[in-house]
Amino acid sequence: MKATALAHPNIALVKYWGKRDDALILPHQSSLSLTLSPLSVTTTVEFGVPTDAVEINGHTSKGSERERVLRLLESVRAQTKDALGPAKVVSRGDFPMAAGLASSAAGFAALAVAGRAAAGLPSDARAASILARLGSGSACRSVEGGFCEWQRGERPDGDDSFAVQRFDAAHWPDLRMVVAVLDRGEKDVKSRDGMKQTVETSPYYPAWVRDAEEEVPRARAHIARRDLQALGELCERNAWRMHSTSLAADPPLCYLNAGTLGLIQHLREHRKKGIPVWFTLDAGPNPVLLTDAANEVAAEALARACGALDVIRCVPGGDAALKQEHLF
Ligand code: DP6
């Protein structure tokens, strides 16, 4: 009745931006991401306790965050014959929320894997990915490691909307992702609200959906060949297009700040000098730089020279996994 799992966050190379079903978290388009090690979130779930209790990073969880956790566990209960009873959940990340990297993806992936195990359900990456998706869309891509593709699916019940691993972490050990934390503040508009506003008001949104869907197989082909330049160019293009469709929303959504643009300009100068470094950007001002092992020190120096407060160097990460020790 008690289980603990660890999962890594992921960074989207082709972004997910917009839902066709808000309740089931079904996306308009497919997306593709890379799991990031050594960052991780560990979550313990125990069923059969007196009342539901959720603790995240040492704080009792409230409001929509708590509701999302309990809703995911409700779906676990619906899949078992036994009465599991109320649940206690304790989750802890080993990286600061302020890093600008969503810990929610890793948190919900770990919750899905631990929740299924605590309920006595068999290990099943597809079922865990569907479950994690109910917590946060991008979480479905953190159940397996390496390069994962979230297939949008067609079914209204969402049973064909889950992530599949295309290449494991060992496929491209030389790849590096360098997170440049330019701003530690909370963003004004959360991804969930920003993407909804974009779907509802941006005239460019249909073009975004068409383009992103077409970029996924291209990204897969570049990853298959370990073609850093082609993948880097695709990532930048996709990030710009996500931000362009958001800028065209009403009211407009601008997640970049002056520091972000400064870093991007310097990065282009570095490329002219032959340093292979590209960026991607989620719904916030902190770029994530793509490079290789030989150039990660140069990428970190670039980020620091452009005002990064923290720099986190990452390598491709592995699958979410059950652990022996529990958090409580
Ligand atoms: C820009 O997965 O956090 O990071 O499904 O509403 O919980 P919800 O949103 P979330 O959005 C992630 C948006 C993104 C791009 C991505 O990770 O693909």
Side-chain angles (χ1 to χ4, degrees), residues 12-178:
L13 307 175
V14 178
K15 312 286 182 198
Y16 140 59
W17 195 243
K19 300 176 181 67
R20 64 179 197 273
D21 184 315
D22 289 336
L24 290 174
I25 312 201
L26 300 178
H28 274 292
Q29 29 80 220
S30 304
S31 54
L32 190 153
S33 62
L34 173 64
T35 311
L36 300 180
S37 182
L39 311 178
S40 70
V41 175
T42 301
T43 302
T44 299
V45 179
E46 181 176 17
F47 286 107
V49 297
T51 50
D52 285 326
V54 181
E55 183 194 302
I56 298 177
N57 290 329
H59 299 287
T60 302
S61 178
K62 292 191 275 294
S64 67
E65 184 181 63
R66 176 184 157 91
E67 276 166 34
R68 283 158 79 174
V69 170
L70 295 182
R71 196 179 90 129
L72 192 157
L73 294 176
E74 205 40 58
S75 177
V76 173
R77 289 191 188 93
Q79 292 172 45
T80 55
K81 282 189 257 36
D82 312 323
L84 296 171
K88 179 172 179 185
V89 175
V90 174
S91 185
R92 197 169 300 149
D94 66 0
F95 58 103
M97 294 288 283
L101 274 178
S103 57
S104 61
F108 283 114
L111 178 67
V113 171
R116 282 183 59 85
L121 292 165
S123 164
D124 179 335
R126 177 185 297 196
S129 180
I130 290 175
L131 196 58
R133 193 201 74 220
L134 295 175
S136 185
S138 53
C140 78
R141 300 184 312 232
S142 270
V143 169
E144 289 186 287
F147 299 86
C148 291
E149 214 173 286
W150 178 8
Q151 301 170 329
R152 70 181 289 282
E154 302 295 333
R155 293 172 54 111
D157 64 6
D159 279 2
D160 59 352
S161 190
F162 51 84
V164 289
Q165 184 187 60
R166 291 294 182 197
F167 306 94
D168 67 14
H171 169 72
W172 198 345
D174 193 47
L175 188 64
R176 292 293 181 274
M177 309 292 286
V178 178

Side-chain angles (χ1 to χ4, degrees), residues 240-317:
W240 278 127
R241 288 176 184 173
M242 185 196 103
H243 286 272
S244 303
T245 186
S246 305
L247 280 164
D250 185 16
L253 280 162
C254 183
Y255 286 108
L256 294 75
N257 64 24
T260 317
L261 290 170
L263 192 150
I264 290 171
Q265 249 155 26
H266 277 87
L267 188 138
R268 288 177 173 164
E269 296 303 318
H270 270 59
R271 273 210 301 267
K272 281 188 199 149
K273 289 182 205 146
I275 299 173
V277 57
W278 289 266
F279 76 91
T280 183
L281 195 60
D282 276 348
N286 299 324
V288 178
L289 311 183
L290 265 81
T291 189
D292 55 17
N295 290 286
E296 67 175 330
V297 172
E300 170 162 359
L302 161 73
R304 293 207 185 273
C306 293
L309 307 168
D310 295 305
V311 176
I312 310 169
R313 290 201 223 158
C314 301
V315 297

